[in-house]
Amino acid sequence: KAGVTQTPRYLIKTRGQQVTLSCSPISGHRSVSWYQQTPGQGLQFLFEYFSETQRNKGNFPGRFSGRQFSNSRSEMNVSTLELGDSALYLCASSLAGTGEIYGYTFGSGTRLTVV
Amino acid sequence: SQKIEQNSEALNIQEGKTATLTCNYTNYSPAYLQWYRQDPGRGPVFLLLIRENEKEKRKERLKVTFDTTLKQSLFHITASQPADSATYLCALASPNSGYALNFGKGTSLLVTP
């Protein structure tokens, strides 16, 4: 079956611009999470959605936002981009519902470069 | 504050040997722990999950132990192969964090022929 699909794979933006990243989870997975990965900080949790509701949010400024659609596809948006937002943004989907915990399937990520 | 530590130094071993990677944590009471493999430029790949009430989990050449008293997990790859060369990440989650994973920074493993 198809894996987690993230688009675009690479993106170059200018400081102050905004960006929208897209994620299509594995069919049947209703939980979608987003992570930021940088060499210095490693993988850091941004937010998690389940059935169009944000269930958890990491310690990131309000410039980072997301949403999930009824087909479980998710988008994240970063407004007023800063140089420090340059990172690999990873989306992960899971069967996690309410109670049971499963492993996450990650996409290949979107490499965002802010110049 | 919560801290997850993995050996930042790369682990170099010879093909056929057992690789053992360590994940230590402090100020944390995880409900479960997961191990992932990540290759350069790719997303992490899920390997194993172990719950707080489980001591050990196995999958093919992989074995994970979870000691909540020592606050430590060990990840073993037996009969290692060059194809096992990658960065290995441990990730913890607690009831307080919901479904958010808290990742260590990973240990790079290099298996040489």
Side-chain angles (χ1 to χ4, degrees):
Chain A
K1 58 184 176 181
V4 176
T5 303
Q6 290 189 247
T7 56
R9 283 283 281 132
Y10 302 92
L11 209 46
I12 300 176
K13 289 286 189 178
T14 305
R15 259 185 311 174
Q17 287 186 312
Q18 75 162 18
V19 66
T20 299
L21 311 181
S22 180
C23 172
S24 293
I26 288 176
S27 177
H29 286 192
R30 292 160 65 190
S31 169
V32 175
S33 302
W34 288 89
Y35 290 82
Q36 180 195 67
Q37 187 172 30
T38 59
Q41 298 298 318
L43 270 153
Q44 292 187 289
F45 172 75
L46 282 157
F47 24 67
E48 189 259 351
Y49 289 88
F50 179 80
S51 292
E52 302 178 67
T53 300
Q54 185 183 89
R55 294 198 292 191
N56 207 346
K57 188 178 193 310
N59 189 24
F60 279 82
R63 300 185 297 107
F64 291 81
S65 63
R67 60 177 174 168
Q68 186 181 34
F69 302 96
S70 58
N71 62 358
S72 293
R73 194 176 69 83
S74 178
E75 289 181 347
M76 69 162 280
N77 185 278
V78 187
S79 62
T80 319
L81 284 166
E82 301 177 358
L83 295 179
D85 297 333
S86 295
L88 180 66
Y89 289 88
L90 291 158
C91 169
S93 74
S94 170
L95 281 169
T98 50
E100 190 51 71
I101 302 298
Y102 300 89
Y104 287 80
T105 302
F106 281 80
S108 293
T110 294
R111 172 72 63 185
L112 172 65
T113 302
V114 182
V115 297
Chain B
S1 62
Q2 296 173 341
K3 191 180 282 188
I4 302 170
E5 292 182 340
Q6 294 185 256
N7 196 338
S8 58
E9 290 185 16
L11 179 62
N12 294 339
I13 66 166
Q14 200 170 17
E15 183 176 8
K17 302 291 186 184
T18 296
T20 298
L21 286 70
T22 305
C23 177
N24 295 300
Y25 57 92
T26 55
N27 297 325
Y28 216 126
S29 295
Y32 62 96
L33 185 150
Q34 303 185 13
W35 282 88
Y36 288 80
R37 167 191 172 134
Q38 187 173 26
D39 293 283
R42 309 298 299 269
V45 174
F46 172 71
L47 298 173
L48 281 168
L49 178 154
I50 187 166
R51 292 172 175 77
E52 60 180 336
N53 60 350
E54 298 174 315
K55 295 291 185 188
E56 181 179 300
K57 207 73 154 311
R58 292 175 185 260
K59 179 183 173 184
E60 298 171 354
R61 296 185 296 111
L62 309 179
K63 184 177 86 169
V64 173
T65 63
F66 194 9
D67 189 328
T68 56
T69 301
L70 289 178
K71 296 187 181 296
Q72 180 181 78
S73 174
L74 299 178
F75 177 77
H76 307 272
I77 306 175
T78 58
S80 59
Q81 305 164 0
D84 295 327
S85 299
T87 296
Y88 291 85
L89 302 156
C90 76
L92 282 67
S94 68
N96 292 338
S97 70
Y99 295 90
L101 291 177
N102 196 355
F103 280 88
K105 293 191 177 179
T107 297
S108 176
L109 172 67
L110 179 62
V111 182
T112 53

